[in-house]
């Protein structure tokens, strides 16, 4: 497999391995990365990172960060990253509701507002990653 | 001299204490290992983030005079982030860091304010009447990056606001199970020298495309690097705390054993003494009885 991907957070290495294709939520819009991509340094938004390995897909919920694409080596420095099957859906849902609730009482401070919005996006991303996984699970006969 | 019964009671209680300190030693030993693993876990991110920074700095060239990297010409005051433990029973662990920070503040010669992580350091500074700007305590047993970011945000914020011109970290470096050393490191402005070292190592890099731009990436990356440094310091401190507690508990266990030994000696002595006393009593009693009998016999004879 032609692309080497590493996903690291401040606490641990979440993923390291060969993949065929990567989809990431870039700061300037989603990016699809295939082998022989031009070297790019980009920021990442909270969202779902999706990798294709053979005919299989794996999702990660990313809480913002950076991506470093150099040759066929891709490094994702994430503020947080969870594999889809690690996500506790009930907790993620609770976090989303909490963030939404707090956003409603819109804080005056721009920085706080930004932080809350990030929290909301993060929790939505986690739910999205987790849900995609569970729906596919029900579709597959195995 | 205590009675044999009192001594026996003390021996029993010291033995119970020894059992507890022995258990605590084992607990700390396993916690050291866990904290060490956590420190290891931060290595991949830290090294990759540094490399990224070197790349950005190399390519963005002169545009990288970021405020978090810039040394100020006039330094009027500094913050010290003092990292200690929340709990005691770990020997001189907390005192050592606090003293190191004090010595540093004294030599610094300019006003120093403190931000603390950990209850012990806060209490210590409070007793000495030092200026505490912010305090953070009650970290979970396994702190995540997010548990330390509030402290780092405060530091970055006040630094950028000009409330201080430098920020130092005071924490305990973990060197081995038996050796932990308090250290002072500059946190802000970020040490450009270290980064330059990385820069020359990485060699020429291909032309990167930046999205959105190098300045934005630097803006995002530098605070995260700062957060990482604080996080690593907290983890190191945690490993050191558990190691210090382990040693303290081992010493306590040893002292308890010594105490039990000497108490057992006294106990045996007291027991001997008791037996001797009883024998003496009996001997005294019989001799008194004999004497009384003799006297009685004598008076009987006289009467007869």
């Amino acid at each position: 497999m032609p692309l080497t991907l590493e996903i690291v957070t401040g606490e641990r290495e979440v993923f390291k391995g060969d993949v065929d294709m990567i989809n990431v939520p870039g700061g300037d819009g989603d990016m699809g990365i295939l082998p022989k991509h031009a070297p790019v340094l980009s920021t990442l938004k909270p969202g779902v990172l999706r990798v294709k390995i053979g005919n299989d897909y794996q999702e990660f919920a990313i809480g913002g960060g950076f991506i470093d694409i150099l040759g066929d080596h891709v490094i994702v420095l994430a503020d947080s990253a969870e594999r889809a099957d690690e996500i506790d859906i009930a907790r993620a849902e609770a976090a989303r509701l909490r963030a939404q609730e707090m956003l409603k009482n819109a804080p005056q401070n721009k920085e706080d507002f930004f932080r809350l919005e990030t929290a909301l996006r993060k929790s939505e991303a986690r739910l999205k990653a987790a849900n995609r996984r569970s729906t596919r699970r029900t579709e597959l006969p195995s | 001299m205590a009675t044999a019964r009192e001594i026996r009671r003390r021996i029993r209680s010291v033995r119970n204490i020894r059992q507890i300190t022995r258990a605590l030693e084992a607990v700390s030993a396993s916690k050291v290992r866990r904290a060490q693993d956590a420190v290891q876990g931060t290595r991949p991110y830290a090294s990759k983030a540094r490399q990224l920074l070197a790349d950005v700095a190399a390519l963005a060239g002169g545009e990288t005079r970021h405020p978090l990297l810039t040394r100020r010409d006039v330094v009027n005051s500094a913050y010290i982030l003092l990292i200690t433990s929340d709990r005691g029973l770990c020997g001189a662990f907390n005192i050592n860091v606090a003293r190191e920070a004090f010595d540093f503040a004294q030599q610094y010669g300019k006003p120093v304010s403190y931000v603390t992580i950990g209850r012990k350091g806060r209490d210590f500074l409070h007793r000495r009447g030092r200026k505490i700007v912010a305090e953070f305590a009650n970290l979970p047993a396994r702190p995540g990056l997010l548990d330390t970011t509030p402290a780092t945000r405060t530091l970055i914020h006040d630094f950028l606001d000009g409330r201080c011109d430098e920020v130092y970290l005071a924490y305990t470096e973990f060197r081995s199970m038996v050796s932990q050393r308090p250290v002072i490191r500059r946190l802000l402005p970020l040490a450009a020298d270290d980064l330059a070292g990385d820069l020359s190592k990485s060699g020429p890099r291909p032309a990167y495309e930046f999205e959105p731009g190098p300045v934005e990436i630097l803006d995002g990356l530098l605070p995260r690097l700062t957060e990482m440094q604080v996080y690593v310091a907290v983890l190191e401190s945690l490993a050191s705390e558990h190691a210090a507690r382990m040693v303290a508990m081992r010493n306590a266990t040893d002292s308890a054993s010594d105490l039990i030994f000497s108490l057992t000696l006294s106990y045996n002595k007291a027991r001997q003494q008791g037996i001797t006393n009883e024998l003496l009593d009996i001997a005294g009693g019989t001799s008194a009885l004999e004497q009384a009998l003799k006297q009685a016999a004598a008076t009987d004879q006289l009467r007869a």
Side-chain angles (χ1 to χ4, degrees):
Chain A
M1 273 179 249
L3 273 174
T4 312
L5 171 68
E6 286 179 65
I7 303 175
V8 293
T9 68
E11 286 152 37
R12 66 199 172 112
E13 192 176 84
V14 180
F15 180 89
K16 186 175 190 172
D18 290 342
V19 300
D20 289 312
M21 190 174 89
I22 311 166
N23 266 303
V24 292
D28 277 356
D30 285 5
M31 285 195 282
I33 301 153
L34 285 164
K36 304 208 169 72
H37 197 283
V40 170
L41 276 181
S42 171
T43 55
L44 295 178
K45 283 187 298 195
V48 178
L49 183 151
R50 197 156 182 247
V51 296
K52 182 170 181 264
I53 307 171
N55 287 321
D56 208 16
Y57 287 93
Q58 239 184 62
E59 277 98 22
F60 297 86
I62 302 284
F66 306 93
I67 186 166
D68 178 356
I69 308 167
L70 180 61
D72 289 338
H73 200 88
V74 179
I75 299 169
V76 173
L77 291 170
D79 293 345
S80 68
E82 285 164 290
R83 281 222 330 261
D85 48 0
E86 290 174 349
I87 295 170
D88 178 341
I89 294 182
R91 253 189 61 194
E93 180 66 36
R96 188 179 68 94
L97 288 176
R98 203 162 54 233
Q100 253 174 356
E101 197 52 44
M102 279 160 93
L103 260 181
K104 257 185 221 155
N105 314 321
Q108 303 299 310
N109 189 327
K110 201 168 140 198
E111 205 175 304
D112 280 350
F113 188 80
F114 181 71
R115 208 175 297 152
L116 275 178
E117 210 185 309
T118 311
L120 180 61
R121 287 233 199 84
K122 236 158 131 174
S123 54
E124 278 171 356
R126 290 168 76 209
L127 276 177
K128 218 157 126 192
N131 281 334
R132 264 197 214 169
R133 173 142 197 115
S134 53
T135 44
R136 201 171 45 255
R137 225 185 246 146
T138 50
E139 278 165 16
L140 288 174
S142 65
Chain B
M1 180 100 187
T3 66
R5 188 143 54 106
E6 280 167 358
I7 297 175
R8 206 165 53 208
R9 210 165 55 203
R10 277 205 66 194
I11 291 177
R12 217 178 294 138
S13 81
V14 173
R15 200 169 274 149
N16 286 340
I17 292 170
R18 184 174 66 175
Q19 214 159 35
I20 292 167
T21 57
R22 198 175 269 158
L24 281 175
E25 182 192 332
V27 168
S28 297
S30 78
K31 282 185 177 168
V32 173
R33 234 163 286 136
R34 219 195 285 148
Q36 265 180 296
D37 289 347
V39 173
Q40 290 291 328
T42 63
R43 297 264 155 83
Y45 187 94
S47 71
K48 296 208 162 74
R50 275 176 181 280
Q51 180 160 31
L52 201 65
L53 183 65
D55 287 343
V56 180
L59 290 156
E63 296 167 54
T64 58
R65 297 316 294 171
H66 194 278
L68 287 178
L69 284 172
T70 314
R71 264 180 162 263
R72 300 197 181 150
D73 298 332
V74 187
V75 175
N76 289 322
S77 68
Y79 275 12
I80 295 180
L81 176 66
L82 179 62
I83 301 172
T84 56
S85 70
D86 281 334
R87 294 185 217 183
L89 290 184
C90 44
F93 171 76
N94 289 312
I95 295 288
N96 284 344
V97 215
R99 197 170 287 152
E100 190 80 10
F102 273 12
D103 288 350
F104 178 81
Q106 209 137 52
Q107 278 169 18
Y108 195 70
K110 297 194 174 107
V112 170
S113 312
Y114 293 87
V115 174
T116 62
I117 294 181
R119 231 153 40 85
K120 291 288 166 184
R122 176 196 67 192
D123 295 349
F124 190 77
L125 292 173
H126 200 65
R127 274 200 300 277
R128 302 267 174 129
R130 305 295 150 122
K131 194 179 165 204
I132 303 174
V133 184
E135 53 110 347
F136 302 87
N138 294 327
L139 289 187
R142 292 187 195 194
L145 183 56
L146 284 178
D147 294 311
T148 63
T149 43
T152 318
R153 292 253 167 83
T154 309
L155 294 172
I156 293 176
H157 186 264
D158 281 13
F159 176 75
L160 293 178
D161 253 20
R163 264 178 247 184
C164 62
D165 299 311
E166 287 185 317
V167 178
Y168 289 87
L169 282 174
Y171 67 101
T172 311
E173 196 177 55
F174 181 87
R175 305 176 93 191
S176 71
M177 283 300 216
V178 287
S179 160
Q180 303 90 38
R181 200 171 50 119
V183 291
I184 309 273
R185 293 251 154 84
R186 196 178 80 211
L187 178 68
L188 295 173
L190 289 166
D193 314 349
D194 292 1
L195 305 171
D198 283 356
L199 200 136
S200 59
K201 247 187 287 158
S202 61
R205 302 290 249 158
Y208 270 105
E209 218 174 282
F210 293 107
E211 282 178 30
V215 179
E216 285 85 353
I217 289 181
L218 218 51
D219 269 346
L221 196 56
L222 291 176
R224 284 179 173 90
L225 267 175
T226 315
E227 280 168 12
M228 276 310 285
Q229 284 195 30
V230 173
Y231 180 56
V232 171
V234 166
L235 290 178
E236 287 250 353
S237 179
L238 196 68
S240 304
E241 175 198 337
H242 290 311
R245 181 167 297 122
M246 197 184 88
V247 172
M249 286 302 122
R250 181 178 300 155
N251 289 341
T253 307
D254 291 349
S255 309
S257 297
D258 290 351
L259 194 58
I260 289 171
F261 180 76
S262 69
L263 278 175
T264 308
L265 271 185
S266 330
Y267 169 69
N268 286 341
K269 263 187 213 154
R271 196 172 54 96
Q272 282 284 0
Q273 188 92 58
I275 292 168
T276 315
N277 283 345
E278 271 170 39
L279 281 177
L280 278 178
D281 274 355
I282 294 168
T286 39
S287 70
L289 205 64
E290 265 169 24
Q291 218 144 42
L293 282 172
K294 261 182 209 157
Q295 233 160 30
T299 40
D300 277 356
Q301 258 172 1
L302 271 176
R303 261 190 213 148

